[in-house]
Amino acid sequence: MTDTTITPALGPLTGEVRLPTDKSISHRAVLVAAMAEGESDLVGVLDSADVHATLTAVQALGADIVLLSAGSRGLRVRVTGWGAAGPAAPSGPIDCGNSGTTARLLMGVLAGWPIEVTLTGDESLSRRPMERVAAPLRAMGADIQTAEGGTLPVRIRGGALRGTIHVLPVASAQVKTALLLAGLRAEGRTVVTEPAASRDHTERMLPVFGVPVERDGLTAAVSGPTLPGGTIVVVPADPSSAAFMCAAASLVPGSEVIMPGVSLNPGRAGFVAVLRRMGADITIEEPLTMGEEPTATLIARHGRPLCGTTVVADEVPALIDEVPVLALVATQAEGVTRFEGIGELRVKESDRLELVSAGLRKLGAHVEIGSDWLEVHGPCALHGATLSASGDHRLAMMWAVAGLIAEGATVIEGFEVIDVSYPAFADDLQRLRGEAWPF
Ligand code: S3P
């Protein structure tokens, strides 16, 4: 385990940052290209541990992956999908590592094929709920067994699927996507209705692969059986990674951070609206549609004093991964910031509700939580402490941003977990600080 020490920023964070490309879109591009008949060129696939889990998985299932180039804008890969021939039985279990998206989306991909596959994952992933995907896939006709407690390892024996109407109890893009991908192999219409809008990358991407998606409000449907065809996908920068830099710029006096080409999918951009409501200075420039995804340059500047806000349950799906870093920003805001309907945070890479509040308290913040809410009473001067990343990439980066404004040193244990989504995070922060790293 690697410990990293962060000392307070001595001056503003300034400059342009080439953020990593989007994790959610990268997983989907690799999986749909693997299912497709023919070749796909994927430009800007995120070069991180989570996406490598997906790349390795589809290779084990028979897709051909050629790495054309690797650079600061991610990987350029050519994928030849298994198409109508279907995936090959892998030689052993498929290890999804830390990646919930890999495990859950693969369950949908495999549900319609007559091979037996076992999915495993690391300690964190092995605690996360899988029945939310397994149960509706069973209703479509797949034979899926989860371990006791509804977790990994999961054994899937796919079969003939029938299109089914699903009404999801929780807004989850992973569940929605797994069901739509299974729907490509099902006879008839597979219809998914969510209780609130989650990220719609899958609905935007499938038509690029030649698969129509019917959409009506919170409902998306595909008609099967159908086969995606090879195409080109260009992956924009990841808004969830941008959120850490937006938070840092909002907290460190004098900062100005420019982030080009960030996905502003409506199911992801909720944090921008919340930061603005808190008084943060975030501007959106150069809007451009990349493939089917809206993107823009984000510019985050340190501005006027921040104030508290209430984030209501309906807003949460569009900022679910950003609640931790928004809670950190709230420690510097005047008044109460309240997040409602955030129970899902308890089943992410860690119990983020519990660990965010415990860590912020350790830094000196005034935080209260309930079963599905969190309240921060600000502003509060933070002091450095030793905090664990707890195997959660977003906690590691959140504590690093906290370290920029906390008095004294902040030590983060297990910092290497940033490799899951943003391997160059420390280097990018160093460049923006214009100081040497580590201190
Ligand atoms: C993701 C959806 C969200 C999010 C996760 C990535 C996706 O999870 O938290 O980081 O790529 O579909 P849920 O679907 O569980 O809400």
Side-chain angles (χ1 to χ4, degrees), residues 24 28 101 104 132 171-174 199 320-321 344 348:
S24 290
R28 287 159 172 77
T101 313
R104 294 188 177 127
R132 53 178 62 192
S172 163
Q174 291 179 352
R199 64 195 69 189
I320 186 71
D321 294 334
E344 275 294 295
K348 294 296 178 188

Side-chain angles (χ1 to χ4, degrees), residues 416-435:
E416 70 281 358
V417 72
I418 60 168
D419 287 352
V420 160
S421 64
Y422 195 165
F425 175 73
D427 302 332
D428 285 351
L429 203 54
Q430 174 194 342
R431 221 169 294 120
L432 294 172
R433 290 175 75 139
E435 307 159 13

Side-chain angles (χ1 to χ4, degrees), residues 111-137:
W113 295 100
I115 56 171
E116 189 171 316
V117 181
T118 299
L119 303 179
T120 61
D122 71 4
E123 207 188 308
S124 147
L125 186 56
S126 299
R127 283 194 298 265
R128 299 179 65 187
M130 295 296 151
E131 269 302 316
R132 53 178 62 192
V133 185
L137 288 176

